Amino acid sequence: MRSIGEMARESGLGVSALRFYDRAGILVPDRVDPVTGYRWYAPEQLGEARVLARLRRAGMPLADVRLVLAGWTAADSDLVRRLLEAHLRRLQEGLSAARVEFSALRDLLDDRENPLMTSPRSAARLSVSGPGLAAALDAVRFAAGTDPELPVLAGVHLDAEGDALHAVATDRYRMAVARTAVGGHGGGRVRATVPLPLVDAMRALLDGEDEVSLAVDDGRVTLEAGDRQTGGRCMEQDFPDYRRLVRLPAGRRAEVDVPAFTEAVRTGPVRLHEDGGTKSELTVLEVSEDGRVAPVPEGADGPDLVAVNRAFLLDALAAAAGDRLVLEFGAPTTPLTIRGPGDEHTFSLLMPVRLSD
């Protein structure tokens, strides 16, 4: 007999997925302890679980999954083969339809971009606190992307308007935003996305400088710190409208001691997750009734658990300034927000990972 944890490790299905399939009546444990509620699986169920894991990765509907498993051990495999072929046809038809829609979307983008290509670039010279800009870059640098197919995300976006300068970075799975004050800017909104090598060169100039000058002009950004200067080309692609992405409903809030919480995450339980061939470790968090937040063990279950990539969470905790942070939880599918107490303008968002079907 195998415990649910052993079955999860050997089958490729997570513990939460096994619980889901038990509740759905698709893969019911051979025995459930009447006292502890522990699930136990018979040896022959491991093969079924591995088949189920493959069907799950292929995105087969639950109704068909039931029939495939029901007919898997039958002498006549015709039904199973027909179900697999039917699902493959649906996937191919869906891919064909997606190509049509994506082609239409590209045409719409081309129509939008053509008149914008002739629009003049904005220019500005900003006076910025050296420590303030350094802190903003430190707070967001960790979230910048590294995917070569999305080069516009491999940088830090600078957005100046009024007396505020926002620094933003995202790799799709996490986003970090920080704000610092600027002076000398009386015009409209000025934006520039700075590639990471230039971001790092700028950051190196900021140590020990109280006031620096940041200039954006004709697709270039230049930082002057005392008698030192660095600069280069901005990215030409438009950065996503991050303001839309950070409009989240208020959620439950829990304040944590950063060193203690970091250690709890670093040494605490994890769940293995695989997405598109990429494996990662998840930390599953729960907020108790008295407002405490902590990682929960692999066997924990519940509607309010939030799972996030553990490495991303540790990066966000390390980038945050101060020994106290506020974690804000919405629904399990809503990004986890991490911010300093009383600071609404510097924060990071972590996309949650779905635990079950």
Side-chain angles (χ1 to χ4, degrees):
M1 302 291 284
R2 288 174 170 80
S3 69
I4 192 169
E6 293 169 333
M7 180 66 95
R9 285 190 293 272
E10 295 182 43
S11 69
L13 290 169
V15 169
S16 57
L18 286 169
R19 288 199 181 95
F20 172 82
Y21 290 122
D22 177 14
R23 293 192 296 268
I26 293 175
L27 185 63
V28 179
D30 185 69
R31 183 168 66 86
V32 178
D33 190 299
V35 178
T36 63
Y38 289 166
R39 296 166 169 87
W40 295 93
Y41 294 83
E44 60 270 17
Q45 289 185 288
L46 176 59
E48 293 183 18
R50 286 173 172 167
V51 170
L52 178 53
R54 291 183 180 277
L55 298 176
R56 183 174 186 253
R57 289 193 291 269
M60 178 173 279
L62 287 181
D64 288 356
V65 168
R66 291 178 190 274
L67 290 176
V68 168
L69 290 181
W72 188 256
T73 58
D76 185 358
S77 60
D78 182 65
L79 174 62
V80 172
R81 292 184 184 278
R82 288 179 181 274
L83 288 168
L84 296 178
E85 290 167 1
H87 182 58
L88 182 58
R89 281 197 301 273
R90 285 196 299 269
L91 292 176
Q92 291 169 337
E93 291 168 358
L95 180 59
S96 177
R99 286 197 177 106
V100 171
E101 297 299 338
F102 273 44
S103 178
L105 289 171
R106 291 191 188 99
D107 290 342
L108 291 173
L109 284 173
D110 289 342
D111 292 342
R112 289 183 63 253
E113 288 173 349
N114 287 335
L116 294 176
M117 296 300 288
T118 59
S119 60
R121 293 182 180 271
S122 55
R125 178 172 289 274
L126 312 173
S127 177
V128 191
S129 159
L133 181 56
L137 295 179
D138 289 344
V140 305
R141 172 66 171 80
F142 77 95
T146 57
D147 187 343
E149 295 194 9
L150 295 171
V152 70
L153 301 185
V156 172
H157 185 62
L158 301 178
D159 181 5
E161 188 173 22
D163 60 357
L165 172 68
H166 286 89
V168 189
T170 182
D171 63 0
R172 292 181 295 163
Y173 306 105
R174 50 188 170 170
M175 172 179 284
V177 180
R179 189 178 79 167
T180 189
V182 296
H185 176 45
R189 190 176 179 188
V190 176
R191 289 167 284 182
T193 304
V194 184
L196 289 179
L198 182 52
V199 170
D200 295 336
M202 292 167 60
R203 177 63 183 86
L205 293 187
L206 294 172
D207 291 331
E209 295 294 337
D210 292 334
E211 196 81 11
V212 298
S213 175
L214 184 67
V216 179
D217 188 13
D218 194 28
R220 288 185 59 86
V221 61
T222 304
L223 177 70
E224 296 178 4
D227 58 355
R228 298 175 298 164
Q229 176 178 299
T230 187
R233 300 294 302 177
C234 304
M235 294 180 173
E236 294 186 358
Q237 303 96 329
D238 287 337
F239 196 80
D241 185 1
Y242 70 94
R243 294 184 178 185
R244 294 186 59 177
L245 302 176
V246 300
R247 296 172 187 164
L248 301 175
R252 296 166 294 152
R253 298 167 69 93
E255 189 167 329
V256 299
D257 175 83
V258 175
F261 184 66
T262 299
E263 183 65 12
V265 172
R266 189 183 66 80
T267 62
V270 296
R271 300 191 191 185
L272 296 180
H273 175 71
E274 184 172 354
D275 183 14
T278 301
K279 294 183 178 180
S280 59
E281 293 181 340
L282 304 182
T283 292
V284 183
L285 300 173
E286 181 179 39
V287 181
S288 63
E289 292 291 338
D290 57 3
R292 290 181 299 173
V293 58
V296 297
E298 185 174 350
D301 195 11
D304 296 326
L305 300 181
V306 175
V308 293
N309 182 294
R310 181 172 73 159
F312 292 174
L313 178 56
L314 290 172
D315 285 345
L317 294 173
D323 290 334
R324 306 292 296 180
L325 285 174
V326 173
L327 275 58
E328 190 167 311
F329 298 81
T333 55
T334 303
L336 169 66
T337 305
I338 303 172
R339 68 175 89 242
D343 186 354
E344 298 298 315
H345 304 293
T346 298
F347 56 89
S348 57
L349 304 175
L350 301 182
M351 289 300 299
V353 179
R354 191 174 180 181
L355 286 175
S356 63
D357 291 43

